[in-house]
Amino acid sequence: MAWWDRYPGELEREIHALEAAGMQPRKNEEWFSAGKAVITIRLEVLGGEREASIIYPDLYPYFRPILQVPGLGTELRHYNPCAGEICLLQRGTQHWLPNATAAEHIREMLPHWEQAAVRDYGESRLEIEDSQAEPVTVYYPAVSSQMVVMDSSWRLPMGIKSGRIRIVLPNGYKSIAPSESYAAWVTGIEDDNKKSIDGISLPEPVHKWVEAQNYEECKYPWIRLEAPPSGRTVLELAGMLISLDPKVRTHINHEIAASRSGLYGFCFPEEAPGGGKRDGWLFLAYHCDRKTKRKKGTAPEPSWWVIRPDYAGEKDLFERIPELHPLRGKTVAVIGLGCVGAPSALAFARAGVGELRLLDGDSVSAGTTCRWPLGLTAVGAGKVRELARYISNNYPFTRIGTGHYPHGSKEDCMLTIGASTNDHDQWDCLDKLLEGVDLVYDATAEQGINLLANDLAIARNVPYVSVSSRTGGWGGNVVRVRPGSGRGCYLCYLHALQDGQIAQPPHDPHGDGLQPVGCGDVTFRAAGFDVEEIALAGVRMAVSTLCEGSQGGYPPIVHDVGILSLRKDGFSTFPEWQSFHLQKHPKCGLCNR
């Protein structure tokens, strides 16, 4: 049901308000018959009278209408030159009330837009403006399932007007088809003399990642434009781009005649976040299906579409997490990759930890995937191998340290601490695991391993964080030990639990002792979303510890022990944390030597 039928009288109220404002409204009957409300008006814009359109959303009046005034140019701020949409400032839905009318909104906001739109990109923002930039690239009618990935920090020297761009694609030029989904990666840009432009190359970790994908490299032409192109449709935009320069038309016509697919890059100035201008990019894609039959002597009919860039430079990948910048130079050893340790390892990678060293002796079984993060495709493989592979394939700035793996385990990477073995020395493996690390993260929930890892970390003057859930997923704990701080260790924590100085995490007394069919060990009952509360808090504790003393880094957590409760009186609760200082305990033989 259309909104004007759902709310009788609302459309008439809109038209009356527009008439009262002198905007000469006319219903676009073609659009109305298709179930879309579009009203054409006459409007004074930037000193001249123009025809404009008001496009009402399907969920009007809960969402504001759009004002389109085509043909105002490409150099205006807060303006979509493709669709002609005027951004009437303050985008958030909180700036629109359902009892307002389009006429009221336009009369109130258009004068502010006219004041801001003509200002230079480098000028400071007005108080009436939203702080965000309006890069024209985001407005182009592009295919959302295809991207050309670049580094946003690249800048072309002003004297270079055209050249070739090196792009790697999953299947080379065969990837360039309208129905394909892919990300192409720009590995370099050349000038007309086939010389690589200095300063334009992918960051080394990303470049290595791209090389590991075994993509095929192609070279395509690019050209610099003095201003952003515009076009309301893909065909209109494609026609404009082809007609901009004779060599563009010549090249594309030659490729189409040969039934080849390809890209043509266009660089142009656009508004940059924070003010000023930057190099914007757009790629015109064309495809000729060789299997399509055509009459002899007739020209092939290509498909045209537009591909926008995406950005994966170092700044692009980390600018959303500025407080985590100290992690880039840190190494974390993660011991235990179960339902708490595995999501913790992934969180460390997303946070940008420079190196992860993973240790676990188990493989993934199907029944555990209800709370293990990678699902059924990982079944049968070692947990270390699967997480290492996933992290390497998705987070190239995080290295996976392998120097501690036992000889011959490079494929499986499995090591069970405490198990009797004849093929490697476990002390040697642990020494290599912890050599040069900045933090030990223990998610084994095994007291013997907790005490061993605590002692090894203290001996190396390295912070230690232990995380574990409790049966039923009712609660859990996070414990941090900081050698040299004058505080306690993990054994002190166990004594404090026993004495009641620190609260016991709640647990399900009947949630233990589950032995699934085919499993030689017992396990516990708990939902993944409950145990991951522990992982999130543990990573937060570790990150705050790693960032201590770094200017602008993630702020410190004062207490060393957190006890989580997710159940109370038989009901689930929002996470409730109790925090404690970890004091030296008089019964601890390690801290009272």
Side-chain angles (χ1 to χ4, degrees):
M1 179 184 292
W3 61 264
W4 56 88
D5 293 324
R6 187 178 296 112
Y7 307 109
E10 189 68 24
L11 178 59
E12 289 72 19
R13 186 172 80 98
E14 284 289 324
I15 293 175
H16 178 73
L18 292 168
E19 289 173 341
M23 297 182 187
Q24 306 172 38
R26 303 187 311 279
K27 289 173 58 177
N28 187 315
E29 297 297 346
E30 182 180 353
W31 281 107
F32 268 89
S33 64
K36 301 291 183 182
V38 178
I39 295 178
T40 303
I41 61 173
R42 299 295 297 180
L43 193 63
E44 184 83 14
V45 180
L46 296 176
E49 188 176 273
R50 292 181 176 271
E51 186 171 277
S53 296
I54 300 173
I55 301 174
Y56 292 84
D58 293 343
L59 297 178
Y60 189 78
Y62 293 97
F63 295 89
R64 76 183 76 186
I66 293 171
L67 175 64
Q68 287 187 346
V69 186
L72 296 181
T74 60
E75 294 297 315
L76 294 174
R77 293 169 61 178
H78 308 290
Y79 179 69
N80 176 346
C82 297
E85 179 183 343
I86 287 178
C87 176
L88 292 176
L89 310 182
Q90 299 179 310
R91 287 188 178 191
T93 55
Q94 71 270 24
H95 299 295
W96 168 261
L97 295 176
N99 62 349
T101 65
E104 292 170 344
H105 186 55
I106 293 170
R107 292 181 67 180
E108 178 187 359
M109 301 306 298
L110 186 60
H112 296 315
W113 176 83
E114 290 180 309
Q115 184 182 358
V118 297
R119 292 168 63 82
D120 186 83
Y121 289 141
E123 294 185 64
S124 59
R125 298 276 176 177
L126 301 174
E127 290 185 8
I128 57 173
E129 291 184 82
D130 276 349
S131 60
Q132 69 190 75
E134 301 276 355
V136 67
T137 306
V138 302
Y139 295 129
Y140 291 124
V143 174
S144 59
S145 61
Q146 300 178 2
M147 290 182 176
V148 176
V149 186
M150 314 174 73
D151 186 331
S152 69
S153 67
W154 292 346
R155 296 292 181 271
L156 293 177
M158 291 305 298
I160 300 177
K161 301 297 183 180
S162 60
R164 306 282 282 183
I165 187 166
R166 297 196 301 272
I167 297 178
V168 294
L169 302 101
N171 296 302
Y173 77 92
K174 296 179 182 177
S175 299
I176 304 173
S179 59
E180 294 293 322
S181 297
Y182 62 85
W185 294 75
V186 178
T187 58
I189 302 178
E190 301 173 353
D191 60 20
D192 279 327
N193 297 318
K194 300 182 180 181
K195 180 182 178 182
S196 295
I197 298 175
D198 292 338
I200 295 183
S201 61
L202 289 171
E204 184 178 358
V206 179
H207 186 76
K208 288 182 177 179
W209 179 89
V210 170
E211 286 185 332
Q213 308 312 306
N214 294 317
Y215 289 172
E216 294 182 31
E217 183 178 273
C218 301
K219 288 187 178 182
Y220 296 109
W222 68 270
I223 190 171
R224 187 199 293 272
L225 308 179
E226 296 299 322
S230 63
R232 293 173 63 89
T233 67
V234 171
L235 289 179
E236 188 178 311
L237 180 59
M240 179 184 182
L241 292 171
I242 293 171
S243 64
L244 285 172
D245 191 290
K247 65 181 179 183
V248 176
R249 180 182 296 276
T250 299
H251 173 84
I252 291 180
N253 286 343
H254 179 268
E255 294 294 289
I256 290 172
S259 296
R260 283 194 288 263
S261 302
L263 301 172
Y264 208 113
F266 298 87
C267 179
F268 47 83
E270 68 175 5
E271 186 178 8
K277 294 185 179 181
R278 62 175 302 278
D279 286 345
W281 284 87
L282 180 69
F283 296 87
L284 178 63
Y286 50 90
H287 171 75
C288 293
D289 191 347
R290 297 181 180 182
K291 298 178 182 179
T292 302
K293 294 182 179 179
R294 63 179 188 270
K295 292 182 180 180
K296 187 176 181 180
T298 61
E301 296 183 3
S303 299
W304 304 95
W305 69 100
V306 171
I307 303 175
R308 284 193 292 258
D310 192 25
Y311 297 100
E314 186 170 348
K315 173 181 177 293
D316 306 307
L317 294 176
F318 294 106
E319 64 182 345
R320 291 170 174 83
I321 49 174
E323 289 184 329
L324 307 187
H325 69 92
L327 301 181
R328 303 286 306 288
K330 303 296 185 181
T331 298
V332 176
V334 181
I335 306 173
L337 298 171
C339 59
V340 176
S344 297
L346 295 179
F348 281 128
R350 288 194 297 269
V353 168
E355 181 178 331
L356 284 178
R357 300 178 188 172
L358 308 177
L359 186 64
D360 194 284
D362 202 4
S363 59
V364 183
S365 62
T368 65
T369 57
C370 62
R371 60 187 184 213
W372 208 74
L374 298 188
L376 292 175
T377 57
V379 170
K383 292 179 178 178
V384 170
R385 185 182 70 180
E386 284 302 294
L387 284 172
R389 179 182 298 168
Y390 184 85
I391 290 170
S392 296
N393 285 343
N394 292 279
Y395 303 100
F397 281 89
T398 295
R399 302 178 302 279
I400 298 297
T402 60
H404 60 286
Y405 294 160
H407 178 70
S409 72
K410 294 295 183 182
E411 283 299 313
D412 224 357
C413 314
M414 295 168 64
L415 173 65
T416 301
I417 296 179
S420 298
T421 177
N422 295 321
D423 58 356
H424 61 268
D425 184 333
Q426 291 211 357
W427 276 109
D428 181 60
C429 293
L430 291 173
D431 279 338
K432 292 177 180 176
L433 171 73
L434 302 183
E435 183 180 355
V437 301
D438 297 286
L439 185 136
V440 177
Y441 190 87
D442 181 357
T444 62
E446 290 283 348
Q447 184 170 304
I449 299 177
N450 299 153
L451 292 171
L452 170 62
N454 167 81
D455 291 357
L456 292 175
I458 290 174
R460 290 163 174 77
N461 198 33
V462 172
Y464 167 82
V465 173
S466 171
V467 290
S468 63
S469 180
R470 290 295 184 267
T471 55
W474 287 16
N477 64 278
V478 176
V479 181
R480 174 178 59 186
V481 176
R482 290 191 286 183
S485 66
R487 298 183 181 180
C489 68
Y490 191 80
L491 184 56
C492 296
Y493 164 71
L494 295 179
H495 284 303
L497 279 181
Q498 189 176 32
D499 292 351
Q501 298 173 15
I502 293 177
Q504 289 278 354
H507 69 283
D508 179 2
H510 306 294
D512 219 341
L514 172 66
Q515 185 172 8
V517 174
C519 187
D521 294 312
V522 296
T523 185
F524 66 100
R525 299 174 179 88
F529 50 77
D530 282 333
V531 298
E532 286 192 23
E533 289 285 349
I534 300 296
L536 295 173
V539 171
R540 187 177 297 113
M541 174 72 86
V543 167
S544 73
T545 305
L546 291 167
C547 291
E548 283 185 0
S550 299
Q551 186 175 2
Y554 196 80
I557 294 177
V558 176
H559 293 92
D560 296 307
V561 178
I563 303 297
L564 172 65
S565 176
L566 295 171
R567 301 286 180 98
K568 188 174 183 180
D569 300 328
F571 293 94
S572 295
T573 66
F574 285 104
E576 295 181 3
W577 286 91
Q578 292 178 273
S579 56
F580 303 88
H581 289 296
L582 182 58
Q583 305 292 350
K584 287 184 178 180
H585 196 279
K587 295 181 182 179
C588 177
L590 180 63
C591 292
N592 292 288
R593 288 176 179 171

